[in-house]
Amino acid sequence: MGNIELTGYQKGITTTVESLLANLPELLGALSNSGKNIVTLAIFSDQRYVQFWSDGYGNVIGEVISNLNIGDSIALTPEAEEEIAGIGFSKPVEYLNPNWTYEAHDQKQLIRLFHMMTLVITAVLKEELHNSVEIQTWEVDVPKDQSRDEFRAATRVYVEESDQSDE
């Protein structure tokens, strides 16, 4: 498996959905074998996203945007949410996992995650292969007194509505 190019938080590179999907197996394998806590965020042109969290133990969590942490915006229709659940992602949970998630612990599950993500990106989010996608990757330092999941919950970025009362 290859190395992961870290772009830095909020410093992405732009590519196509086709390239993302073609390189996804290598990315998932590299995340699993990195021995590090790495976040990879793929933001599509409509601002919906998928992301991956790896830990130092070979586990990789795949996430798909949900409607829980985006204010009053609607990223997914109820039908799309049913499709995501049917693909095998766990339902969003306030605070800890506000996105649709699936955690891979071994190679078989990484392959399943690849297929699940490919299906959700192309069939549910309906991203065309020529569409652009921004990829951000960065390493995170999980404090020794926190579990990975506690850290993920404490550092998760939520969409905040702007205060328009001044207008």
Side-chain angles (χ1 to χ4, degrees):
M1 294 292 150
N3 292 329
I4 300 171
E5 180 182 338
L6 300 179
T7 64
Y9 178 66
Q10 293 187 337
K11 297 176 184 165
I13 59 168
T14 301
T15 188
T16 63
V17 171
E18 181 176 33
S19 179
L20 169 65
L21 295 176
N23 290 295
L24 192 53
E26 184 176 0
L27 172 65
L28 294 175
L31 286 169
S32 177
N33 291 315
S34 71
K36 299 176 182 179
N37 298 292
I38 296 176
V39 178
T40 300
L41 176 62
I43 306 170
F44 303 104
S45 58
D46 60 7
Q47 298 305 303
R48 295 186 297 176
Y49 62 88
V50 298
Q51 67 184 8
F52 305 93
W53 290 72
S54 69
D55 64 21
Y57 306 104
N59 303 305
V60 178
I61 300 172
E63 298 186 19
V64 180
I65 189 173
S66 83
N67 295 334
L68 281 185
N69 70 345
I70 56 173
D72 291 333
S73 300
I74 297 176
L76 302 166
T77 64
E79 295 81 17
E81 291 181 316
E82 286 178 26
E83 287 181 68
I84 294 172
I87 289 170
F89 287 92
S90 297
K91 291 185 177 184
V93 177
E94 289 281 350
Y95 185 65
L96 181 59
N97 287 313
N99 289 320
W100 293 89
T101 60
Y102 177 80
E103 185 165 356
H105 302 282
D106 58 32
Q107 186 175 10
K108 184 177 178 180
Q109 291 174 339
L110 279 174
I111 293 168
R112 181 172 183 215
L113 177 58
F114 162 71
H115 290 293
M116 291 168 66
M117 276 295 178
T118 299
L119 190 57
V120 83
I121 290 168
T122 59
V124 179
L125 299 179
K126 299 188 183 340
E127 291 293 332
E128 300 287 333
L129 294 179
H130 65 272
N131 288 0
S132 65
V133 57
E134 181 182 318
I135 310 294
Q136 299 175 17
T137 53
W138 66 95
E139 187 174 352
V140 292
D141 185 24
V142 178
K144 294 196 184 310
D145 64 340
Q146 280 188 314
S147 72
R148 174 202 62 193
D149 290 336
E150 290 170 330
F151 180 79
R152 286 176 56 234
T155 60
R156 186 167 299 275
V157 176
Y158 289 86
V159 174
E160 297 180 17
E161 291 189 48
S162 61
D163 183 12
Q164 297 182 6
S165 60
D166 297 337
E167 293 179 19

